[in-house]
Amino acid sequence: MRLTQNPTFRRAIIPWYDSEPACYIMGSLMALVVIFSLTGIYTAGLTREYHSYIWVPILLFILSATVCIIITVRLVSHYIDHHT
């Protein structure tokens, strides 16, 4: 007797990073990193000795802003899926 590969009583497993609380927490943390990186860009722009290192806060800003955008798109798609 073969076992059914897809039983009907099994619930779909949602990854932890796709849950709404995880998205809100990650979005908040990435917003703080965006503010931190903007402060670093401002400080590196003011200090002549740090001009050659300004790429570090710029890279940090780009990466954290990208994560914020992705999380926002994910939350909007969750909202649309649940309210339609």
Side-chain angles (χ1 to χ4, degrees):
M1 180 174 191
R2 292 182 62 184
L3 294 176
T4 306
Q5 292 297 331
N6 195 7
T8 57
F9 59 86
R10 189 181 274 181
R11 291 187 335 181
I13 298 173
I14 299 173
W16 64 270
Y17 57 84
D18 201 25
S19 67
E20 287 189 25
C23 287
Y24 287 128
I25 291 170
M26 186 65 83
S28 301
L29 291 175
M30 288 297 111
L32 291 174
V33 173
V34 165
I35 294 170
F36 178 72
S37 64
L38 289 174
T39 305
I41 291 169
Y42 177 74
T43 304
L46 289 179
T47 309
R48 182 176 290 278
E49 293 85 18
Y50 296 144
H51 280 282
S52 61
Y53 300 111
I54 200 166
W55 65 271
V56 175
I58 290 174
L59 179 65
L60 187 63
F61 173 77
I62 292 169
L63 293 174
S64 58
T66 303
V67 171
C68 281
I69 291 168
I70 291 170
I71 288 174
T72 302
V73 168
R74 182 175 285 168
L75 284 172
V76 168
S77 70
H78 278 233
Y79 181 79
I80 291 171
D81 289 342
H82 290 287
H83 290 90
T84 56

